[in-house]
Amino acid sequence: MKIKIEPGWYEQMKDEFEKQYFTQLVSFVKSEYHQYRIYPPGKQIFSAFKHCPFGKVEVVILGQDPYHGPGQANGLCFSVNDGIRLPPSLVNIFKEIKNDTGRELPPGGNLERWADQGVLLLNATLTVRAGNAGSHQKQGWETFTDAVIRKISSERSGVVFMLWGAFAQQKADLIDGIKHLILKSAHPSPFSADRGFFGCRHFSKANTYLKSIGQKEIDW
């Protein structure tokens, strides 16, 4: 099955695209877009891969579900389109960056600037029905994105994985902790940020690690 995804990623993931679960997933997603309002727009489903080619991945940040409000989701986890009010979790991410690195809060929440530097902003589920969080879970997306994480772990080295919250931390089992740096903390949601996300200093820790192995630091 030919999927419109960045060529480097296609080469890495093409075996997944031929599996039965992925064929069924494509049928499900097409049906959902035909019947309902689905986020993100179809052309942005694989935006995380477009902006961050396989060979340029330096950091992986894992989310769970795309935003399900109007105009929010753009295919990058935690990111929103320019002009959209910042969701609470993203506000807390920017607060931690300021406290950690001194960088001032940006005017908008579009994180393409991170993705273009090598930050893969990967949701476990890449689509969602409008106003219905979790509606596309357990349809095959998690199988695919788990395969993405395994592929990065096996074929790359020196990648920083930021695992925020219990859901993301479960993915640690897919990652070689000797070849890569795994950073864990509470989720940046207002319900949990005070329990370990604030003060985690993941952004400076990531840059310290990248610099130590001769890679370029991320301009957060």
Side-chain angles (χ1 to χ4, degrees):
M1 182 179 296
K2 185 63 176 178
I3 299 295
K4 293 182 180 179
I5 195 171
E6 189 273 328
W9 278 108
Y10 182 82
E11 284 303 308
Q12 294 294 329
M13 304 305 299
K14 59 185 178 182
D15 289 347
E16 294 297 310
F17 300 144
E18 300 302 323
K19 293 180 179 179
Q20 184 177 1
Y21 87 87
F22 199 87
T23 300
Q24 293 172 341
L25 171 63
V26 169
S27 295
F28 168 77
V29 171
K30 285 182 176 179
S31 175
E32 287 285 293
Y33 273 93
H34 182 71
Q35 297 181 69
Y36 305 100
R37 183 177 297 278
I38 305 298
Y39 299 126
K43 292 182 179 180
Q44 293 183 321
I45 292 174
F46 294 111
S47 283
F49 304 91
K50 173 186 176 182
H51 286 278
C52 186
F54 181 80
K56 295 185 178 180
V57 177
E58 305 293 345
V59 177
V60 178
I61 298 178
L62 295 178
Q64 188 166 0
D65 231 23
Y67 296 120
H68 54 83
Q72 291 181 306
N74 61 8
L76 310 176
C77 74
F78 294 105
S79 175
V80 292
N81 290 308
D82 290 326
I84 298 295
R85 183 178 179 180
L86 300 186
S89 290
L90 187 54
V91 170
N92 286 340
I93 290 169
F94 288 156
K95 285 181 180 178
E96 175 60 21
I97 290 173
K98 182 177 181 180
N99 291 334
D100 185 17
T101 70
R103 184 185 177 100
E104 291 299 319
L105 275 62
N110 192 328
L111 301 182
E112 288 181 2
R113 63 185 182 277
W114 292 2
D116 292 337
Q117 295 179 75
V119 181
L120 182 67
L121 295 162
L122 182 66
N123 275 314
T125 303
L126 299 188
T127 54
V128 69
R129 196 181 294 180
N132 193 350
S135 51
H136 284 189
Q137 292 177 6
K138 300 181 180 179
Q139 297 292 337
W141 277 131
E142 296 93 336
T143 303
F144 173 70
T145 52
D146 280 359
V148 168
I149 295 168
R150 288 193 189 95
K151 183 66 72 170
I152 297 170
S153 178
S154 64
E155 301 300 319
R156 297 291 311 279
S157 61
V159 174
V160 181
F161 289 83
M162 296 185 184
L163 310 182
W164 300 336
F167 176 85
Q169 289 175 25
Q170 294 173 3
K171 307 297 184 181
D173 292 340
L174 309 176
I175 305 163
D176 185 338
I178 297 176
K179 291 174 60 180
H180 306 282
L181 176 64
I182 301 175
L183 300 175
K184 298 180 181 179
S185 79
H187 194 276
S189 161
F191 300 107
S192 56
D194 287 329
R195 299 201 297 269
F197 179 75
F198 289 138
C200 70
R201 305 198 66 189
H202 280 187
F203 304 96
S204 61
K205 288 177 180 177
N207 277 347
T208 297
Y209 176 79
L210 292 172
K211 186 176 181 180
S212 75
I213 59 173
Q215 298 295 330
K216 188 176 180 180
E217 297 173 89
I218 304 298
D219 180 4
W220 301 109

